[in-house]
Amino acid sequence: MAFPAKYPQMNATELTDEARSVLIRVIRVAFPHPSFPDGPYERTADTILREAENSTWFRVALTQGLLTLSNLAGGDFRDLNDEDGTKVLRRIETTEFFGFIRRTTVLNLYDNEDVWEILGYEGPSFDKGGYINRGFNDLDWLPEARIESYDGPEQLVEIATPVSVARVRGGENASAVARDTSNQPGKRDAIMSEMTK
Amino acid sequence: MTNIEHDEAAIVIIGSGAGGGTLAYELTAKGLPVVVLEAGPYLRNEDYVNDEWEAFNQMAWLDPRTTSGSWRIARDFPNLPTWIVKAVGGTTTHWSGATPRFKAHEFAARSTYGRIDGANLLDWPITLAELAPYYDKAEVAMGSTHVHGRKPLPANNNYKVFANGAKRLGYKFYSTGPYATNAEEYDGRPASVQDGFNFQGDKNKSKWSTLVREIPRAEATGLLDLRPESHAVQITHDASGRADAVLYLDKDGNLQRQAAGLVAVAANSIETPRLLLQSASPMFPEGLANSSGQVGRNYMRHTTGSVYARFNDPVRMHRGETMAGVIADESKHDPDRGFAGGYYLETISLGPAFLASFGDPGAWGRGFTEILEAYANTAGLWVVGEDLPQESNRVTLNTTVSDKNGLPVPNVNFDDHVNDIAMRDHGYAQAELLYETVGSVGAQRTPPYPSTHNMGTSRMSARPEDGVVDSWGRAHDVPNLFTSDGSVFTTSAAANPTLTIVALAIRQAEYIADQLKTGGI
Ligand SMILES: Cc1cc2nc3c(=O)[nH]c(=O)nc-3n(C[C@H](O)[C@H](O)[C@H](O)COP(=O)(O)OP(=O)(O)OC[C@H]3O[C@@H](n4cnc5c(N)ncnc54)[C@H](O)[C@@H]3O)c2cc1C
């Protein structure tokens, strides 16, 4: 829930266009996909800004973070190359500021058709009849594989090392008390449990 | 659909998923009227959406929960310990369909594995031989492939990588099932169109769920009073200690009372103990049916983990049935591997949205984006094996946090047992080897997802002091109270749980009908 700031000047923590463009750069450095155009990163930044509007805590953390990032960057964060930008972000990765950006990006950047196509994911398929006639089995760089259960000479050995007790238990009913006891298994426990319960 | 009066002492089932939906059908088929209280809405297959987050938000149980303990979930997804569905049909709407059986020795884990420090192992009070006829019935009901004459599903791309790797690694026991989705028309439902959306609900109805089979059939008997959006909050009892009613919130938030002659709780392993704990009274101060102190304890989620391997050539794992690929070679008990119990390897696939969220939670930077960049060339599998019951892995009521109804939320505390960690590491290593044999160029070890398999919090035991219910799922302490879901599991075994939940529910229905006839309840 968002509360109006107590002091009117605090509402000036509104995020500027410049802050938005720093945010876009932060997301691209943190989640580098050379094949992605700007669109998905801008969309994600706008989602983050929208969510920040609804939470005082995120809004102040985000505003403060974007304003002060230049201190760590020794200038404008947007001027850093990928490698230097990554180094700056590693230094702040445990902050609430970065955590908020990371979580929201992970949830939103990849949840859109604009990146699915680039990554090779095809989205909803039922309306297209599924993949039964559209390549569910078109992989051709490996031989065909057996789909039936194994029916060769070997049996799955369920217990590798002979364990005599289990054979006793194979189906017949040994007395549960003789075989086993409660929370701390072992014979003595039948008496101990009376005191602990 | 029938209308059962609120003051009629009815058979009341709480939850309509694998356990509750099956029990409702089996009882109505035997001529017994039942009320089913289901917290979620009545969605149909047409309502499902082919979109990961949209489908999740449509159906997953999103009421607040809290977590504690050293499991990674408590750090990465502190309010989402599980992936459970809140809708008619329960989690069988989102499940994928793998249906292996438990092995004989897995019903006797304590006897077979011996004493293991920190574990709370116990033998089940039933054996494989006793359950086998019900496994048959469950497989026929669910249409499991590879058994009872059901055709195997064809190999999809992800399976081709998986099975070729298995073969080259020397594994023998691999196939596209058993898997409860039709390869050809069966039971009035069509063959799979391989649309790749299993975890989102199958619009085509090829996948078994209680929504497509048990619920409509129970409705057709005219004996089912199904009440969606009805959240049970308490089971009350009379002076003799018998359950006599269920209090629930209807969709408008009004508290209702349904009188009960018999109550069966099938709310999945978090909500089942929560409800029993919320039903504490002066006669049952620790919670209903909890004289053993075991309600909520021994919570199990299976030892899991995924490996996503990258190749130079396209795989397109998202096309086709998600989990129609099972390797059983590691499901044996072989302490030589450094742990007790066994595990399966099963194909799995996520879309980019879920892979980003769950593939390597908390990660960012180039290492992270590489996983997604390789999406089209990625194959995936899931390790799923037995985890050990521990008393401290536990569902409790968190009285400092309440849900929108003002009820205390469940807290799920979990630590991996060292056995679980050793098994997971073995599974990761085998999976990487498997993919290397078919040319992988890199692999990502993905930690457990919010738990999809939830078991053990109301466990079966021969003796009342060791567990909550007897071999029929009947509470040791309350003669007309039953538990009918995965929470009755004494141990988790390696196999995915749902076939066993359904088999136990079919067996329980026979017992209940029989006992009602002979006056035993
Ligand atoms: C993505 C995914 C994949 C899976 N794949 C497989 C697989 O391949 N093989 C397999 O065996 N298993 C699989 N599972 C697990 C399987 O879905 C569960 O084991 C099974 O559905 C559990 O059955 P249940 O009856 O215990 O509970 P559920 O099916 O979860 O049903 C419980 C129902 O109770 C309702 N409920 C809860 N509390 C209340 C209340 N207080 N009042 C009223 N109603 C309530 C819930 O809304 C829900 O509908 C998968 C699960 C997921 C999420």
Side-chain angles (χ1 to χ4, degrees):
Chain A
M1 194 188 298
F3 298 98
K6 191 171 174 192
Y7 303 101
Q9 66 270 28
M10 285 294 283
N11 282 326
T13 58
E14 244 168 54
L15 288 148
T16 59
D17 282 352
E18 189 178 321
R20 177 174 178 270
S21 100
V22 174
L23 176 60
I24 292 169
R25 178 67 188 151
V26 168
I27 303 170
R28 198 184 257 288
V29 169
F31 295 89
H33 289 281
S35 54
F36 286 11
D38 291 337
Y41 290 107
E42 289 165 1
R43 164 175 66 70
T44 305
D46 290 336
T47 304
I48 291 171
L49 294 173
R50 245 192 333 274
E51 294 203 357
E53 272 168 33
N54 299 322
S55 158
T56 303
W57 174 223
F58 287 148
R59 195 170 66 250
V60 297
L62 187 68
T63 311
Q64 173 77 352
L66 290 173
L67 287 175
T68 57
L69 200 55
S70 55
N71 300 342
L72 277 186
D76 194 329
F77 180 79
R78 289 168 296 182
D79 295 338
L80 299 183
N81 64 24
D82 292 358
E83 201 182 318
D84 292 339
T86 306
K87 278 187 195 144
V88 169
L89 297 182
R90 282 285 168 217
R91 288 171 64 189
I92 59 158
E93 68 176 336
T94 58
T95 61
E96 196 61 28
F97 161 67
F98 186 76
F100 172 50
I101 294 175
R102 181 186 59 69
R103 282 193 300 275
T104 316
T105 301
V106 162
L107 282 174
N108 291 283
L109 178 60
Y110 303 99
D111 193 20
N112 197 295
E113 287 172 16
D114 58 8
V115 307
W116 291 348
E117 220 180 293
I118 300 166
L119 297 176
Y121 178 69
E122 297 160 285
S125 75
F126 179 74
D127 290 343
K128 299 173 186 151
Y131 294 105
I132 187 83
N133 298 314
R134 296 190 310 126
F136 83 103
N137 60 355
D138 64 359
L139 185 146
D140 57 7
W141 50 271
L142 284 168
E144 290 306 315
R146 189 190 80 220
I147 58 172
E148 295 84 13
S149 311
Y150 173 76
D151 66 352
E154 282 180 42
Q155 290 282 322
L156 178 67
V157 180
E158 296 190 349
I159 301 179
T161 337
V163 182
S164 57
V165 201
R167 247 185 282 123
V168 174
R169 186 69 209 293
E172 307 95 300
N173 271 326
S175 145
V177 182
R179 190 180 61 242
D180 203 1
T181 58
S182 73
N183 317 346
Q184 287 300 310
K187 259 232 171 274
R188 292 156 306 172
D189 194 59
I191 307 143
M192 277 169 56
S193 67
E194 309 227 332
M195 302 190 298
T196 54
K197 293 271 156 58
Chain B
M1 187 158 82
T2 183
N3 227 326
I4 295 173
E5 295 297 324
H6 277 53
D7 56 6
E8 184 182 327
I11 297 175
V12 182
I13 299 173
I14 298 161
S16 62
T22 300
L23 184 64
Y25 167 58
E26 296 289 331
L27 291 177
T28 54
K30 294 181 200 324
L32 295 164
V34 302
V35 174
V36 171
L37 302 176
E38 168 53 58
Y42 202 162
L43 299 169
R44 317 293 169 134
N45 301 68
E46 307 82 79
D47 301 320
Y48 299 163
V49 279
N50 276 192
D51 183 287
E52 292 185 303
W53 278 120
E54 202 182 328
F56 188 82
N57 289 328
Q58 177 187 42
M59 290 175 86
W61 186 283
L62 300 173
D63 299 18
R65 287 170 172 160
T66 58
T67 47
S68 54
S70 58
W71 57 334
R72 237 185 105 168
I73 292 286
R75 186 187 87 196
D76 298 331
F77 309 104
N79 300 116
L80 192 68
T82 68
W83 177 352
I84 287 176
V85 168
K86 183 181 189 176
V88 172
T91 317
T92 64
T93 57
H94 275 189
W95 85 314
S96 37
T99 55
R101 292 184 180 197
F102 287 13
K103 302 186 199 313
H105 70 267
E106 291 175 321
F107 289 95
R110 169 65 180 91
S111 303
T112 310
Y113 306 157
R115 179 192 172 115
I116 296 179
D117 268 355
N120 190 16
L121 280 173
L122 187 73
D123 289 353
W124 288 60
I126 55 170
T127 62
L128 177 63
E130 285 167 80
L131 199 59
Y134 300 95
Y135 269 142
D136 287 334
K137 288 182 182 172
E139 286 159 348
V140 170
M142 299 164 81
S144 291
T145 60
H146 295 79
V147 289
H148 311 290
R150 300 275 73 72
K151 235 173 89 170
L153 281 153
N156 60 31
N157 292 335
N158 202 21
Y159 179 79
K160 287 189 192 179
V161 180
F162 177 83
N164 274 292
K167 187 176 174 192
R168 291 186 195 176
L169 199 58
Y171 285 154
K172 300 253 163 6
F173 302 94
Y174 59 87
S175 55
T176 56
Y179 193 77
T181 294
N182 293 345
E184 57 191 350
E185 195 185 317
Y186 173 69
D187 209 23
R189 292 181 288 111
S192 165
V193 296
Q194 303 278 350
D195 72 7
F197 288 90
N198 295 81
F199 293 168
Q200 289 68 36
D202 178 19
K203 295 174 78 70
N204 203 48
K205 304 187 184 175
S206 305
K207 176 178 84 175
W208 174 85
S209 67
T210 55
L211 184 84
V212 298
R213 187 177 187 275
E214 281 68 19
I215 303 286
R217 286 182 196 195
E219 283 174 330
T221 64
L223 296 173
L224 175 69
D225 184 344
L226 170 64
R227 300 183 198 160
E229 296 175 75
S230 300
H231 186 128
V233 298
Q234 197 169 57
I235 301 163
T236 60
H237 63 81
D238 64 16
S240 71
R242 290 173 63 90
D244 64 358
V246 179
L247 305 183
Y248 66 95
L249 289 160
D250 67 18
K251 64 175 188 304
D252 303 315
N254 297 318
L255 199 59
Q256 303 274 356
R257 178 180 189 275
Q258 174 62 54
L262 186 150
V263 177
V265 191
N268 207 326
S269 299
I270 309 298
E271 297 303 317
T272 289
R274 180 191 186 199
L275 184 59
L276 296 176
L277 295 171
Q278 278 175 188
S279 303
S281 71
M283 193 186 271
F284 298 100
E286 305 300 327
L288 196 58
N290 195 19
S291 69
S292 66
Q294 297 293 309
V295 168
R297 294 187 187 271
N298 312 304
Y299 169 65
M300 295 170 287
R301 58 163 182 163
H302 272 147
T303 295
T304 66
S306 313
V307 170
Y308 291 96
R310 301 189 271 278
F311 296 85
N312 288 325
D313 299 294
V315 178
R316 300 199 176 87
M317 64 173 171
H318 62 278
R319 295 181 180 175
E321 290 294 336
T322 308
M323 206 165 261
V326 180
I327 299 171
D329 295 68
E330 300 286 358
S331 67
K332 63 194 174 194
H333 170 58
D334 178 3
D336 243 20
R337 291 175 299 183
F339 53 88
Y343 64 87
Y344 289 86
L345 299 168
E346 298 172 352
T347 54
I348 197 167
S349 140
L350 299 178
F354 270 24
L355 193 59
S357 288
F358 300 109
D360 190 7
W364 60 278
R366 192 151 294 138
F368 176 87
T369 52
E370 255 177 18
I371 302 171
L372 286 136
E373 284 279 309
Y375 186 79
N377 293 4
T378 297
L381 68 71
W382 197 48
V383 176
V384 51
E386 177 156 18
D387 64 336
L388 299 181
Q390 300 180 69
E391 283 207 292
S392 51
N393 287 347
R394 183 178 182 194
V395 176
T396 52
L397 296 182
N398 183 345
T399 49
T400 63
V401 182
S402 46
D403 67 12
K404 68 172 194 302
N405 299 313
L407 302 169
V409 307
N411 182 71
V412 186
N413 184 74
F414 193 91
D415 301 302
D416 276 318
H417 191 278
V418 288
N419 196 78
D420 306 343
I421 295 168
M423 180 187 290
R424 179 177 304 116
D425 287 345
H426 193 272
Y428 281 147
Q430 289 302 110
E432 285 165 357
L433 286 174
L434 179 151
Y435 283 130
E436 276 168 26
T437 67
V438 280
S440 69
V441 293
Q444 171 65 34
R445 292 184 175 191
T446 288
Y449 311 114
S451 317
T452 56
H453 298 176
N454 298 282
M455 299 157 287
T457 50
S458 154
R459 73 176 182 181
M460 281 188 183
S461 65
R463 305 187 314 164
E465 52 270 49
D466 292 338
V468 181
V469 298
D470 70 9
S471 66
W472 305 101
R474 185 177 185 171
H476 289 301
D477 301 345
V478 183
N480 62 341
L481 177 67
F482 288 77
T483 306
S484 318
D485 60 17
S487 63
V488 303
F489 285 20
T490 309
T491 53
S492 80
N496 314 55
T498 309
L499 177 74
T500 303
I501 295 173
V502 171
L504 288 170
I506 296 173
R507 177 172 170 274
Q508 183 181 65
E510 273 183 16
Y511 174 80
I512 288 176
D514 194 55
Q515 291 291 305
L516 287 174
K517 218 176 291 159
T518 58
I521 292 182

